[in-house]
């Protein structure tokens, strides 16, 4: 009986460790993918692709959905592992996850980008795509607002990834 209990306990411990290591790798991978996508989206051409390409838009939303899913998993792992601890890194991780999960949800992102797409379409209709200065000024305004929003999301996602590497999840 003891031997069975030991084998069970050892198997659960190995599974938990593998799961924790997997989440670190997954968070790393998603962070790299988001940083690349954010770099694209922060430019007017990236917004153009988002607004005009269903495939690009769906891929972006799918990436955000995955980030939110694994942030939730990470939240559960960190909360469980550090529930009796006063670890400041764990608390900072939890705080950053909560910020992403409340302020930068996928629906909030979609709403913001829909508004930016409307501005993009208005600029195209009002000024055309000619090389006039009014058109480029409007493009710069859109890019500036878009970059602020994308930068805030990226900062939080990068912070979570950084926290994960400071936590001992094994």
């Amino acid at each position: 009986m003891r031997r069975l209990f030991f084998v069970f306990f050892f198997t659960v411990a190995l599974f938990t460790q593998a799961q924790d290591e997997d989440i670190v790798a997954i968070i790393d991978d998603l962070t790299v993918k988001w940083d690349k996508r954010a770099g694209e989206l922060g430019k007017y051409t990236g917004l153009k692709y988002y607004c005009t390409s269903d495939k690009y838009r769906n891929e972006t939303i799918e990436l955000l959905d995955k980030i939110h899913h694994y942030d939730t998993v990470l939240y559960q792992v960190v909360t469980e592992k550090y529930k009796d601890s006063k670890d400041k890194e764990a608390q900072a991780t939890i705080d950053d996850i909560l910020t992403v999960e409340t302020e930068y949800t996928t629906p909030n992102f979609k709403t913001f980008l829909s508004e930016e797409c409307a501005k993009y379409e208005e600029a195209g209709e009002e000024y055309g795509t000619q090389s006039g200065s009014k058109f480029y000024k409007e493009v710069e305004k859109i890019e500036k607002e878009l970059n602020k929003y994308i930068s805030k999301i990226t900062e939080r996602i990068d912070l979570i990834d950084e926290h994960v590497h400071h936590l001992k999840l094994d």
Side-chain angles (χ1 to χ4, degrees):
M1 181 74 167
R2 279 188 193 176
R3 187 171 184 196
L4 183 61
F5 177 76
F6 178 75
V7 170
F8 175 74
F9 182 76
F10 184 72
T11 304
V12 169
L14 282 177
F15 175 75
T16 303
Q17 180 178 0
Q19 184 181 21
D20 292 347
E21 288 175 10
D22 286 346
I23 194 157
V24 171
I26 290 167
I27 296 288
D28 281 345
D29 181 56
L30 291 172
T31 300
V32 168
K33 287 177 180 174
W34 174 256
D35 287 346
K36 182 177 185 242
R37 184 58 53 111
E40 295 168 357
L41 281 172
K43 298 180 181 125
Y44 185 76
T45 53
L47 177 64
K48 177 182 173 183
Y49 291 138
Y50 182 89
C51 296
T52 60
S53 169
D54 287 340
K55 182 179 180 203
Y56 188 82
R57 182 174 42 259
N58 291 337
E59 288 172 353
T60 303
I61 298 304
E62 183 179 312
L63 177 58
L64 272 175
D65 285 342
K66 282 182 183 176
I67 289 169
H68 286 293
H69 169 75
Y70 283 104
D71 278 353
T72 301
V73 171
L74 180 63
Y75 177 85
Q76 292 167 348
V77 168
V78 173
T79 301
E80 180 63 29
K81 187 163 179 99
Y82 292 95
K83 68 181 173 188
D84 297 327
S85 166
K86 300 293 182 207
D87 188 291
K88 291 181 181 184
E89 194 72 35
Q91 188 58 52
T93 304
I94 290 168
D95 292 344
D96 285 328
I97 291 170
L98 289 174
T99 299
V100 169
E101 295 304 312
T102 56
E103 294 178 29
Y104 303 106
T105 63
T106 301
N108 289 353
F109 178 84
K110 287 167 72 174
T111 299
F112 178 80
L113 267 287
S114 290
E115 293 168 1
E116 294 300 291
C117 286
K119 292 175 189 174
Y120 163 79
E121 290 170 9
E122 285 175 23
E125 289 171 5
E126 189 169 334
Y127 305 112
T129 55
Q130 76 273 16
S131 57
S133 63
K134 287 183 180 184
F135 176 74
Y136 286 115
K137 284 183 183 182
E138 192 62 30
V139 167
E140 286 175 10
K141 283 182 3 186
I142 294 170
E143 275 184 339
K144 190 174 184 177
E145 191 173 338
L146 182 62
N147 271 314
K148 280 186 205 177
Y149 189 79
I150 298 293
S151 293
K152 288 177 187 177
I153 295 172
T154 302
E155 178 183 345
R156 290 296 170 184
I157 290 171
D158 289 348
L159 278 172
I160 292 168
D161 184 52
E162 194 174 308
H163 290 311
V164 167
H165 289 281
H166 289 102
L167 292 173
K168 303 273 188 260
L169 295 178
D170 50 3

